[in-house]
Amino acid sequence: MITPAARTRPAAQDTAEWLLNLEPGPLEAFCTRTIPGFRTPVSIHPARPNSNSTFIVSTPDSRYALRRAIEPSQKADLEREFRILAGLIPRNFPVPRPLIYCDNDKLIGGAFFVMEYIEGRHYQDPIMPGAPSAYRAKAYGSLNAMLAQLHSFDPRVIGAPLLHARDNPIKYPGHAQEKTNPARQNGE
């Protein structure tokens, strides 16, 4: 069972400890009730070795991706991410289908959402070491086409109204910089 102390730990919370303290029963019951075809038991592991917010949930029949808010302040960002994914699906944009959003902190210690799991490659180095040049060219061509398609959507229509400059009293790039720059957060 997740203790109240575990729910209020800082973002640096040890993922292994979180997984060890996670009681899967409430998550299994919630997903079984809300996701058609979801079956138990589940196993949960980080999507990448250093990931503390994205997990793979494996069931006897399928795999899902679970994204969780590590801190209460991330709840709004997580909900916006869910809404944007849901807004892109009807436009045939290639994103995982979001299945359910839950803001009940008691289930797993914070807000979360579950989406389809899509197998793919993750390159941390943009040079894609070991990949043939023709593959890199095709990958970057595809990436550019997807970015162009994404930028053709009206943010208000896909569930991201505050990302639209005219509707955003906070200039988004500056706001993002404020959120990611610790010196600015401390007024320095």
Side-chain angles (χ1 to χ4, degrees):
M1 181 64 78
I2 299 172
T3 64
R7 281 195 296 268
T8 58
R9 293 192 56 179
Q13 175 183 3
D14 181 32
T15 301
E17 184 178 330
W18 177 79
L19 281 171
L20 286 172
N21 289 328
L22 178 66
E23 172 57 49
L27 177 64
E28 289 175 335
F30 176 78
C31 290
T32 301
R33 246 186 2 261
T34 57
I35 300 174
F38 191 94
R39 290 186 347 138
T40 60
V42 301
S43 67
I44 304 171
H45 63 275
R48 293 186 309 270
N50 295 327
S51 178
N52 60 0
S53 62
T54 306
F55 297 86
I56 305 302
V57 178
S58 299
T59 69
D61 301 323
S62 196
R63 292 167 76 185
Y64 302 88
L66 181 146
R67 297 262 301 131
R68 74 177 182 112
I70 300 167
E71 296 179 355
S73 63
Q74 296 172 327
K75 193 183 252 185
D77 293 338
L78 194 73
E79 184 177 5
R80 182 173 42 250
E81 181 181 337
F82 180 86
R83 279 195 328 266
I84 290 170
L85 289 172
L88 290 171
I89 288 292
R91 286 149 187 83
N92 295 318
F93 193 77
V95 293
R97 181 175 303 279
L99 302 170
I100 192 73
Y101 175 82
C102 178
D103 62 0
N104 181 347
D105 293 344
K106 294 178 183 169
L107 280 175
I108 66 167
F112 68 95
F113 72 87
V114 178
M115 62 185 151
E116 291 177 320
Y117 174 80
I118 297 177
E119 192 69 47
R121 294 183 182 168
H122 176 80
Y123 290 99
Q124 291 191 331
D125 184 341
I127 295 173
M128 298 185 201
S133 62
Y135 175 83
R136 286 194 302 271
K138 186 175 179 180
Y140 277 110
S142 177
L143 174 65
N144 289 333
M146 290 299 100
L147 286 172
Q149 183 184 3
L150 181 62
H151 283 85
S152 73
F153 298 134
D154 182 340
R156 295 168 292 190
V157 174
I158 62 168
L162 291 181
L163 299 183
H164 191 275
R166 189 177 70 220
D167 298 335
N168 189 358
I170 303 168
K171 301 297 182 221
Y172 182 73
H175 177 65
Q177 189 177 31
E178 293 280 335
K179 286 181 72 170
T180 59
N181 186 336
R184 288 189 181 195
Q185 289 175 349
N186 296 330
E188 297 172 14

